[in-house]
Structure formats: C-alpha cells, structure tokens
Amino acid sequence: MTARRASPDTALPRSLLSGFLAHAAQSPDAPALTVKGAVLSYSAMEATARQWASAIVAALGRGAGRVGVFAYRDEESYVGVLAALMSGAAFVPLNRAFPVKRTAFMIRRADLDAIIVDRESAAQLEEVLGGMGRPPLILFPANESRGLSVAGVQVLSRPEVESSTPLDTLPPLGPEDIAYILFTSGSTGEPKGVSVSHGNVLHFVDVATRRYSITSNDRFSQTFDQTFDPSVFDLFGAWGNGACVCSMQPIDLLVPDRFVARHAVTIWCSVPSVPALSRRKNLLRPGAMPSLRWSLFGGEVLTAEVAQAWLDAAPSSTVENLYGPTELTVACLAYRWDSAVSPSQCVKGAVPIGRPFEGLTAVIVDEDLRISPPGEAGELLVCGPQTAPGYWREPEKTRERFVTLDAAAFEGLRFYRTGDKAVLLESGEYLYLGRIDYQIKILGHRVELGEIEAVLRDVARVDQAVALGWPLTAEGADGVVAFIAAADCD
C-alpha cells in the first residue's frame, strides 16, 4: 500500500498532524513505523494516508467529520489514523475484540462518515452495520473486492482507493477541533465518547517532549490497543518528534525484553500488568534491556516491587508512574521512581502518582467539592489545557463531570472530576487510593461495574444484578464475577 508522496502543507495551523508532516518533509526516508516485519518511512505513510484521505473526501463530496479506524495493529490501523486526520476528521478507534453490539453502538453514537477497515475486521461488518439508518462509507484499502452486502453501504475496495490522487492541500485543523473520540465504560450500560481536541493533545505531547527529551533517534514501543488512549502517546509522541513507532503483537508482550532488544526500543510505555506478568514468570532478567532510556507505566496501580524489578532489567532507563484518565488526555500526573527514596514513599506497596504536569492544577475535594486540607483523602480533580471539551453529544454527563469550584483561587477554572480517591502526601506527591464510584481497573482498562449490571439485568430479564471485580489484584482485578437474583433463580 504505497503511493507517491504529496508536497507538505506548510501553511496549515498547528494540529496533531503538524509534527508528522514536518518530519516527513525533513526526513522522508526515516522510519516512522515497524509493524508485522515491515518498516514504513515517513514519506510512504504520508503519501498513502493522503491517498486514503482523498478517496474519503471524493466519495463524500466534502471533508469528513469523524472517521472510524476498524483495524488492529497493522498498516491500516496506523495509516488510518493519519488518513482520518488528513480528511479533516476526528479519528474514532474501533476494536474487533469488542462485542459486535458495542461496536455498532459506537458507530451510531459517533455518527461516523466513513470507516477504514482491515481484512480481519471486515468479517464483522455485516453484523455491525445491519439495520443502520445511515451507514458510513467503507474503505477496504487492503481488499481487492468489495465483498459486502449491506443495503445502502458505499464501499471502496483497494483498486478504487489506489486510483485516488493524494490530497495536495489538507483541510485546516486547529487547536479547538476534535482530534479523536474514545469510548469509555458508562454506568447506564452504554459507553460514552470522550472528545479530545488537538490543543489537548498538543499540550501533552509538548510536555512529554521536554520531559523525556524525545528526539528523532528514539524508538517507541506500541503496547496499547488504539481504543486505549495511551496509544496516542506512542504514536504522536514519536511522530511529533520524527521518531519510530515499533508496533507489538500480543505475543510480544509475553517476553517484552526480547522485543526491546530486537527493535532497540528506547522509550517503553505499558500498563504495569506487562512487567508484573514477566516478573511472575521470572522473565525479567537483570540488565536485559540496556537500550531503554525511559520506562513509563500507567493505566493501573504500579507496585514498588514491579517498578524495581523493571529498573533492574533496564538499568539505563528512568522509571516513571503516569496517571491520567482519558478526559485529561493520556497522562496528567507523573512520579519518578528513585530506588533510594521511593520505597519509603509508597503506601501498601503502591507507587505514588506524583505531581501534575506543567500547566495543570490538581486538588483534592470532599463530597461537597470543598478543598480538602493536605493529608486528607478525597476526590482528585484536575484542570488545565489537557482537560477535554467533554462527552460527545452528552451535555448532561459533561456538566456532571466537568465543574467549576466555589473557591476564589480557582475562579473560572474548569476541573474534571476523576472519580478517583487520592491524598496529597507530605512529600508533595499525590497517592491514588482507588475509586470513589463504581469503576474498577481490569488489565489497565476502566470498567464500569454498573454497565455490566445494566446489561445483565436486560439480558437475564431480572431486576437485581451485582458485579464484583474478582480475583482482586494490587492493580484492580483480573476479571469480573456477577450475580443475579430472580424468582426462579437462587
């Protein structure tokens, strides 16, 4: 899937695409992505993404609003993100590992104009799109034939996509435009879409670039599914600085040190479950990952034992614990591990989540949203340029979670209520204490137990259902156990 390279758009306002386009112009032959044994240069990815974007714009007769990327750790999944942005759209990651009904709901709620689909995900399309009133345009960049029989669906297969002339001029995108929509678990049984702007992501990438001294010589691991927002750091932390993204397949996560060595990875980012599993299997060998400069963990609780074991395996790296819900754009607090000092700052083995990124403000409040004194636990609220605009087409939920505080020091600031219980330690570091609501972390993903209960009540046609995280782990839980009660059920 290659095409001729179009000229760079030098007059475009700054957006999530800006860094990628600049480095494609400066170093067109530099590697931008390694995936499934293939190495794609910046120029190849740019030209292909412009071609796919052109196909979308031509078929729609206009720029797109939102484009789904229904692909998994392959060329379509990464080029698709760039193509969506180049068509003027926000990208919406979809995942074939999700239940089909959930994917169909996400497509309808996001009101997608188009979906870029890879070979394996295409098998779900007929069920996903069935009965949809206004089905989106479908692009099969890797499929030779259309092979889809759903009424009213326009399909572009590989020959049609490749016959498109790459866009020479891209639609302008600005800081206020939505860059992506990610769906998270919702208490009503329906996922809610978090809208994140280009400005939100640019602030995060700028902070990360300075904090981690990212250069074009870096090579990023890509451990996260693209429906999980830390993947945005993998992609645009790298592409915004001319670095290379090294995509990992699920099997690679079982022996991360081999992948790091094979691809000379310099910046690692994953959930703590990955090193925790390697540690349990005695696979974290001291000194096994000398190429790493930075080792970043987020998405769930990082324990002191896991942090130190990883540092022993990557002795040239600096380990950081990151914290940040999707609504605060990837990560908003960070704690730097120090083997001499950090163990004494941990509580019950949990590593602190640290201090806010520059430009952000964090506070602890009580149930009435009054500022709590240091040392008193309460709900963690954060504000600043990484605070998302809100939930896609859900103003009531947005008003519930994005609030202002009745305190003179924070007048006019818009805080996000994380729903996380935390405390400010004497060291000035924040410590995560768990959820104050009904969410739980399972393998790094936020799962709303109320959503599971709502679905169970509907499917089992009962009035009572209770879901619990089980078995419990230091990070949250490994799974869920649920109970239902009915007249004919004990």
Side-chain angles (χ1 to χ4, degrees), residues 30 35 50 75 80 210 330 375 395:
V35 57
R50 285 181 182 266
E75 186 172 349
R210 293 189 294 270
V330 185

Side-chain angles (χ1 to χ4, degrees), residues 439-460:
Q439 283 188 348
I440 195 167
K441 285 288 183 74
I442 298 179
L443 301 178
H445 294 273
R446 288 190 294 169
V447 175
E448 186 82 42
L449 294 175
E451 178 184 5
I452 296 174
E453 292 173 352
V455 173
L456 277 174
R457 289 193 296 268
D458 181 59
V459 172

Side-chain angles (χ1 to χ4, degrees), residues 431-487:
L431 179 74
Y432 171 80
L433 299 174
R435 295 292 297 175
I436 65 169
D437 55 20
Y438 207 32
Q439 283 188 348
I440 195 167
K441 285 288 183 74
I442 298 179
L443 301 178
H445 294 273
R446 288 190 294 169
V447 175
E448 186 82 42
L449 294 175
E451 178 184 5
I452 296 174
E453 292 173 352
V455 173
L456 277 174
R457 289 193 296 268
D458 181 59
V459 172
R461 300 185 183 280
V462 298
D463 293 325
Q464 293 178 301
V466 175
L468 302 171
W470 191 263
L472 296 177
T473 67
E475 296 81 18
D478 279 342
V480 174
V481 174
F483 303 84
I484 61 173

Side-chain angles (χ1 to χ4, degrees), residues 96-182:
R96 61 176 177 266
F98 287 1
V100 169
K101 289 183 179 179
R102 186 182 183 92
T103 300
F105 174 86
M106 291 161 62
I107 292 172
R108 288 194 302 271
R109 176 56 61 88
D111 192 18
L112 298 183
D113 293 305
I115 309 178
I116 297 168
V117 187
D118 66 10
R119 288 189 180 93
E120 290 76 11
S121 302
Q124 294 185 5
L125 273 181
E126 293 193 8
E127 188 175 357
V128 166
L129 298 178
M132 200 165 289
R134 190 188 71 86
L137 169 73
I138 301 297
L139 267 74
F140 285 146
N143 291 25
E144 295 293 343
S145 61
R146 302 184 180 193
L148 185 64
S149 56
V150 178
V153 177
Q154 181 182 2
V155 178
L156 300 180
S157 61
R158 178 175 177 174
E160 294 159 308
V161 173
E162 291 190 343
S163 66
S164 300
T165 301
L167 287 179
D168 285 323
T169 303
L170 303 181
L173 296 170
E176 303 301 318
D177 290 315
I178 300 301
Y180 58 83
I181 300 173
L182 287 183

Side-chain angles (χ1 to χ4, degrees), residues 278-291:
S278 295
R279 180 171 174 265
R280 287 200 296 267
K281 294 182 176 295
N282 295 316
L283 295 177
L284 278 185
R285 297 175 292 107
M289 296 178 285
S291 65

Side-chain angles (χ1 to χ4, degrees), residues 14-309:
R14 191 170 183 232
S15 73
L16 203 50
L17 276 174
S18 299
F20 178 89
L21 293 173
H23 289 285
Q26 294 167 11
S27 306
D29 296 328
L33 173 71
T34 66
V35 57
K36 292 185 173 180
V39 179
L40 303 181
S41 68
Y42 273 83
S43 60
M45 289 192 73
E46 181 195 6
T48 304
R50 285 181 182 266
Q51 189 176 59
W52 296 3
S54 176
I56 292 171
V57 171
L60 295 176
R62 55 177 170 78
R66 290 154 304 282
V67 171
V69 182
F70 198 15
Y72 185 79
R73 299 179 187 267
D74 54 21
E75 186 172 349
E76 291 92 326
S77 66
Y78 300 106
V79 177
V81 166
L82 295 171
L85 294 171
M86 289 181 182
S87 72
F91 65 90
V92 182
L94 304 170
N95 193 329
R96 61 176 177 266
F98 287 1
V100 169
K101 289 183 179 179
R102 186 182 183 92
T103 300
F105 174 86
M106 291 161 62
I107 292 172
R108 288 194 302 271
R109 176 56 61 88
D111 192 18
L112 298 183
D113 293 305
I115 309 178
I116 297 168
V117 187
D118 66 10
R119 288 189 180 93
E120 290 76 11
S121 302
Q124 294 185 5
L125 273 181
E126 293 193 8
E127 188 175 357
V128 166
L129 298 178
M132 200 165 289
R134 190 188 71 86
L137 169 73
I138 301 297
L139 267 74
F140 285 146
N143 291 25
E144 295 293 343
S145 61
R146 302 184 180 193
L148 185 64
S149 56
V150 178
V153 177
Q154 181 182 2
V155 178
L156 300 180
S157 61
R158 178 175 177 174
E160 294 159 308
V161 173
E162 291 190 343
S163 66
S164 300
T165 301
L167 287 179
D168 285 323
T169 303
L170 303 181
L173 296 170
E176 303 301 318
D177 290 315
I178 300 301
Y180 58 83
I181 300 173
L182 287 183
F183 283 84
T184 64
S185 193
S187 58
T188 62
E190 296 179 343
K192 57 184 183 290
V194 183
S195 304
V196 180
S197 73
H198 285 265
N200 295 151
V201 190
L202 288 172
H203 184 273
F204 167 74
V205 170
D206 288 346
V207 169
T209 296
R210 293 189 294 270
R211 186 177 184 91
Y212 306 124
S213 302
I214 303 171
T215 73
S216 59
N217 294 321
D218 280 309
R219 296 174 63 82
F220 281 64
S221 68
Q222 205 284 294
T223 68
F224 300 99
D225 288 354
Q226 286 172 248
T227 43
F228 196 12
D229 73 318
S231 64
V232 174
F233 172 65
D234 301 337
L235 303 189
F236 292 98
W239 294 339
N241 292 284
C244 182
V245 176
C246 302
S247 175
M248 300 181 71
Q249 299 303 307
I251 195 170
D252 294 323
L253 294 172
L254 299 177
V255 278
D257 60 325
R258 294 183 186 176
F259 184 89
V260 168
R262 186 165 65 250
H263 293 275
V265 173
T266 61
I267 298 179
W268 172 272
C269 190
S270 78
V271 292
S273 297
V274 175
L277 178 61
S278 295
R279 180 171 174 265
R280 287 200 296 267
K281 294 182 176 295
N282 295 316
L283 295 177
L284 278 185
R285 297 175 292 107
M289 296 178 285
S291 65
L292 288 182
R293 295 197 305 115
W294 291 97
S295 298
L296 311 175
F297 298 99
E300 57 195 25
V301 174
L302 176 66
T303 64
E305 292 82 1
V306 168
Q308 188 59 51

Side-chain angles (χ1 to χ4, degrees), residues 237-428:
W239 294 339
N241 292 284
C244 182
V245 176
C246 302
S247 175
M248 300 181 71
Q249 299 303 307
I251 195 170
D252 294 323
L253 294 172
L254 299 177
V255 278
D257 60 325
R258 294 183 186 176
F259 184 89
V260 168
R262 186 165 65 250
H263 293 275
V265 173
T266 61
I267 298 179
W268 172 272
C269 190
S270 78
V271 292
S273 297
V274 175
L277 178 61
S278 295
R279 180 171 174 265
R280 287 200 296 267
K281 294 182 176 295
N282 295 316
L283 295 177
L284 278 185
R285 297 175 292 107
M289 296 178 285
S291 65
L292 288 182
R293 295 197 305 115
W294 291 97
S295 298
L296 311 175
F297 298 99
E300 57 195 25
V301 174
L302 176 66
T303 64
E305 292 82 1
V306 168
Q308 188 59 51
W310 184 273
L311 182 59
D312 292 342
S316 298
S317 76
T318 300
V319 171
E320 281 206 343
N321 187 31
L322 303 181
Y323 166 87
T326 303
E327 292 86 346
L328 291 167
T329 314
V330 185
C332 56
L333 279 79
Y335 176 85
R336 190 160 295 180
W337 178 261
D338 183 319
S339 299
V341 176
S342 295
S344 65
Q345 294 181 337
C346 296
V347 176
K348 295 182 179 179
V351 177
I353 56 176
R355 303 170 187 261
F357 280 175
E358 59 186 87
L360 307 184
T361 300
V363 295
I364 302 292
V365 300
D366 62 17
E367 292 181 355
D368 297 316
L369 297 183
R370 294 178 303 212
I371 305 298
S372 299
E376 186 172 312
E379 183 178 4
L380 177 63
L381 275 63
V382 180
C383 76
Q386 289 178 208
T387 308
Y391 298 112
W392 175 250
R393 294 181 177 173
E394 296 199 66
E396 286 297 326
K397 287 183 180 178
T398 298
R399 282 192 288 270
E400 289 174 7
R401 305 302 298 182
F402 297 84
V403 300
T404 56
L405 299 180
D406 188 17
F410 304 117
E411 185 177 357
L413 298 180
R414 182 170 173 269
F415 284 84
Y416 173 67
R417 300 187 61 177
T418 67
D420 288 331
K421 188 176 182 180
V423 64
L424 180 59
L425 303 174
E426 290 184 2
S427 64

